[in-house]
């Protein structure tokens, strides 16, 4: 099987710079700039400022900012993600990916800052755009009740307000 035949294509990621977030900058963001954000470490263990400082001081948590991020996630040609939905006693499969004018579904995220946290004790990696990214969809969505596809919709840069919903979820603001 060649790389072209894989259902999920390699992630394309370009960044202008990567910076290590200093403890005092992280604490300022957590408690002053964005106090309502669902911060990793803060919500999990009800950690206070001292706990966060200790995590970073003893290398139990490392935090990076990726600056000017351009990230693309792509499906292989002819592939779809199937999302089962049950509403009003009716089962429908949403098929997301190729269809209509789209032969290879993808979504592109462009943003000024993507924050990455890694907590060594829990072995969890967290990511979040710290500022609203531009989301550029390129996929088709259709529904299938078992007897053929219907309700085709192409989501592209020119035809969608999808990014407003997704941006809100990704940024947790």
């Amino acid at each position: 099987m060649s790389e072209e035949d894989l259902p999920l294509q390699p992630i394309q990621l370009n960044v202008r710079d990567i910076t290590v977030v200093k403890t005092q900058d992280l604490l300022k963001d957590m408690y002053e700039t964005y106090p309502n954000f669902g911060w990793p470490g803060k919500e999990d263990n009800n950690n206070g400022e001292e706990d966060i400082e200790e995590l970073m001081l003893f290398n139990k948590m490392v935090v990076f900012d990726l600056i000017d991020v351009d990230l693309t996630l792509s499906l292989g040609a002819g592939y779809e993600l199937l999302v089962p939905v049950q509403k009003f006693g009716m089962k429908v499969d949403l098929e997301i990916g190729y269809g209509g004018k789209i032969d290879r579904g993808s979504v592109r995220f462009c943003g000024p800052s993507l924050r990455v946290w890694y907590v060594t004790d829990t072995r969890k990696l967290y990511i979040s755009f710290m500022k609203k990214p531009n989301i550029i969809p390129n996929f088709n969505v259709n529904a299938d009740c078992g007897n053929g596809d219907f309700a085709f919709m192409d989501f592209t840069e020119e035809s969608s307000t999808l990014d407003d919903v997704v941006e809100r979820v990704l940024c947790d603001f």
Side-chain angles (χ1 to χ4, degrees), residues 48-77:
E49 290 184 36
E50 299 81 23
D51 295 330
I52 299 299
E53 288 181 84
E54 185 176 318
L55 283 172
M56 292 185 77
L57 179 66
F58 294 106
N59 295 323
K60 293 182 179 185
M61 179 169 67
V62 63
V63 183
F64 297 97
D65 279 340
L66 282 65
I67 310 300
D68 292 338
V69 174
D70 187 345
L71 170 73
T72 303
L73 305 172
S74 300
L75 294 174

Side-chain angles (χ1 to χ4, degrees), residues 8 14 28 34 40-41 59 62-63 106 112 116 127 136-137 142 164 169:
L8 184 62
N14 294 304
K28 182 179 178 200
Y34 307 110
N59 295 323
V62 63
V63 183
S106 66
V116 178
I127 62 170
I136 304 165
N142 65 70
D164 293 336
V169 171

